[in-house]
């Protein structure tokens, strides 16, 4: 688990990524540039809509804490959310949003990795859910 202080240290240093996770960070498989293209995982439109919604919620600071699991809810303090909104919010509206991979994480968590294209560059959003469908982790980072 990443502590709120670690998240703040990352944010204060402006060394993106912006991460909050109640479980160990998902080690989602991302295709390398030299690897032959793998077939895309099937897309769940409702889940993708939820991940897009949460990108917007983080950008604006308009969060619905009832969707977080207890650990993430405690970790995402108002100050951390303001910092995240300031950093992720400046990216603006995405021009493309696609599912890049799905990873099962120890402890009953599933991480969905989305590739998000903004005018300023391409980012990854890792949207992690627990077995009850609660959000257990969020990660926004520039794509490698």
């Amino acid at each position: 688990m990443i502590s709120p202080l670690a998240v703040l240290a990352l944010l204060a240093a402006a060394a993106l990524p912006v991460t909050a996770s109640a479980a160990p960070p998902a080690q989602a498989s991302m295709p390398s540039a030299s690897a032959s293209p793998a077939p895309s995982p099937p897309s769940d439109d409702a889940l993708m809509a939820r991940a897009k919604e949460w990108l917007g919620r983080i950008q604006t600071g308009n969060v619905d804490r009832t969707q977080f699991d207890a650990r993430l809810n405690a970790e995402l303090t108002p100050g951390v959310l303001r910092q995240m909104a300031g950093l992720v919010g400046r990216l603006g509206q995405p021009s493309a949003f696609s599912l890049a991979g799905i990873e099962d994480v120890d402890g009953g968590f599933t991480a969905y990795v989305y590739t998000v294209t903004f005018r300023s560059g391409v980012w990854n959003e890792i949207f992690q859910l627990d077995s009850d469908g609660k959000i257990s982790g969020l990660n926004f980072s520039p794509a490698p």
Side-chain angles (χ1 to χ4, degrees):
M1 177 173 78
I2 298 173
S3 74
L5 293 178
V7 173
L8 284 174
L10 284 172
L11 296 172
L16 305 175
V18 178
T19 304
S21 178
Q27 299 300 316
S29 302
M30 296 297 297
S32 71
S34 62
S36 59
S40 296
S43 176
D44 178 339
D45 293 337
L47 185 59
M48 184 179 289
R50 190 172 177 203
K52 285 180 183 179
E53 171 193 356
W54 273 94
L55 170 62
R57 284 181 175 277
I58 293 298
Q59 288 180 312
T60 63
N62 180 22
V63 300
D64 174 4
R65 290 184 171 277
T66 65
Q67 293 189 41
F68 295 152
D69 71 2
R71 291 174 63 191
L72 185 62
N73 193 34
E75 208 171 283
L76 288 180
T77 65
V80 169
L81 287 170
R82 278 191 301 277
Q83 292 286 330
M84 291 176 77
L87 292 172
V88 180
R90 70 179 176 211
L91 297 171
Q93 292 299 310
S95 60
F97 199 101
S98 62
L99 181 64
I102 301 172
E103 179 80 16
D104 289 327
V105 182
D106 290 340
F109 301 95
T110 304
Y112 299 88
V113 181
Y114 293 94
T115 301
V116 187
T117 304
F118 298 94
R119 186 176 347 163
S120 62
V122 178
W123 283 59
N124 291 326
E125 174 183 349
I126 299 176
F127 185 71
Q128 186 172 295
L129 300 175
D130 68 12
S131 59
D132 294 325
K134 294 278 190 174
I135 301 170
S136 57
L138 291 169
N139 177 295
F140 302 93
S141 62

